[in-house]
Amino acid sequence: MSDTRTPAQIEADIVRRREQLAEMLDEIGARMHPKTVIGDAKAKVASSVDRTAGRAFVAVNRAVSDVKAQFVSEDGTPRLERVVPVAVVALGVVGLLAVSARRRRA
């Protein structure tokens, strides 16, 4: 295989190739710079935290909606057949805690 380029063309190709390599090395250097690596890592962590927080928010919101649906009907009125027993149990627990606290002080 013979090369039919002139010495000037070969030299121009060498200069062009050097410029391309220099650009490539600059790009690699920028990508591998500690600030760039740290910035990329921070961005990945922030993205992961945002996704996790978003999932947690959706899960909590769904749980609150499910609990609310147990005690409030679709038209927004309280379901007394469920609210009253829970209120009685809550008052009983508060009363037991109050009696227990008084006994500890005495």
Side-chain angles (χ1 to χ4, degrees):
M1 180 150 105
S2 65
D3 194 359
T4 58
R5 297 179 296 168
T6 65
Q9 290 173 328
I10 294 172
E11 191 172 326
D13 287 344
I14 291 171
V15 168
R16 184 177 43 80
R17 181 62 62 125
R18 280 185 186 153
E19 289 172 355
Q20 288 174 344
L21 288 172
E23 287 177 20
M24 203 178 304
L25 287 173
D26 288 344
E27 186 178 331
I28 290 171
R31 286 184 185 177
M32 301 281 66
H33 192 276
K35 286 184 180 180
T36 304
V37 172
I38 290 170
D40 290 348
K42 283 181 182 179
K44 285 180 183 177
V45 168
S47 174
S48 176
V49 167
D50 287 346
R51 276 195 311 275
T52 303
R55 287 183 190 137
F57 176 79
V58 168
V60 168
N61 194 24
R62 185 176 300 131
V64 167
S65 294
D66 291 347
V67 169
K68 182 180 176 186
Q70 296 297 317
F71 296 101
V72 178
S73 66
E74 290 179 10
D75 64 357
T77 58
R79 294 181 175 181
L80 294 179
E81 71 277 5
R82 293 186 179 167
V83 172
V84 171
V86 170
V88 169
V89 169
L91 285 174
V93 169
V94 169
L96 287 173
L97 291 173
V99 168
S100 174
R102 283 186 184 170
R103 286 186 181 170
R104 280 190 229 149
R105 282 190 235 155

